[in-house]
Amino acid sequence: MMGIRRLLTALLVALAALALAHESRQVGPYRIVIGLLYNPAFAGFPNSLDLRVTEGDKPVEGLEKTLIVEIIAPNGEAFQVDLRRAHGQPGYYRGWFIPGVSGNYVWRVRGRIGDLEVNETFSNFFHSKEAVLDPREYTVPKGR
């Protein structure tokens, strides 16, 4: 019984961390959920946009043709990700990049979802002290 409780507690903590690693917002009839695919994220290591859009319970497809998504670095420099459908996951999208420095990043989503013009900025999609962490703080042994 104790093993099941530990397993359930660990599962709930993992799900809570995943939920906190993305920002969710209702934009007109659409729910946009956005964040980083890999959390925690580390400077210098590949990562991806993790975007899903739904209308009610229905995934919204074809947005790789109608949306522009940029990630904005802590210094204000913007990088437009190459938005692509996630294979086998309707309504999910990826856009690969390598964050160059640690700090807080921002997602900007512009374009159209259906007939709705969208121009949204997301800045609360991370669950650690910063969106992208400095890998030197987590390196063993230190100083490498």
Side-chain angles (χ1 to χ4, degrees), residues 18-78:
L18 181 61
L20 294 175
H22 286 68
E23 185 173 346
S24 178
R25 182 179 306 162
Q26 192 72 30
V27 179
Y30 304 102
R31 170 65 55 184
I32 299 174
V33 180
I34 193 168
L36 295 167
L37 182 60
Y38 298 123
N39 287 287
F42 292 99
F45 290 85
N47 211 316
S48 175
L49 162 73
D50 186 35
L51 171 68
R52 67 182 171 267
V53 180
T54 55
E55 184 176 14
D57 293 337
K58 183 181 176 205
V60 178
E61 298 187 67
L63 298 181
E64 73 279 6
K65 299 171 188 160
T66 63
L67 288 181
I68 296 170
V69 181
E70 298 173 306
I71 189 156
I72 303 167
N75 69 355
E77 185 178 335

Side-chain angles (χ1 to χ4, degrees), residues 19-25 34 105 121-127:
L20 294 175
H22 286 68
E23 185 173 346
S24 178
R25 182 179 306 162
I34 193 168
Y105 286 67
T121 302
F122 298 84
S123 59
N124 297 311
F125 57 87
F126 45 95
H127 65 83

Side-chain angles (χ1 to χ4, degrees), residues 1 4-5 7 16 30 37 41 43-44 70 77 81 108 122 129 134:
M1 188 67 165
I4 292 174
R5 281 191 197 151
L7 178 63
Y30 304 102
L37 182 60
E70 298 173 306
E77 185 178 335
V81 298
R108 182 170 43 217
F122 298 84
K129 63 182 180 178
D134 183 343

Side-chain angles (χ1 to χ4, degrees), residues 75-120:
N75 69 355
E77 185 178 335
F79 175 78
Q80 183 177 322
V81 298
D82 183 16
L83 190 63
R84 297 189 182 261
R85 293 175 296 151
H87 180 71
Q89 299 179 45
Y92 281 78
Y93 301 87
R94 301 284 183 265
W96 292 94
F97 67 100
I98 300 173
V101 298
S102 61
N104 291 323
Y105 286 67
V106 172
W107 288 113
R108 182 170 43 217
V109 179
R110 297 180 289 128
R112 299 190 77 69
I113 303 175
D115 293 331
L116 183 67
E117 190 72 30
V118 175
N119 187 357
E120 297 287 322

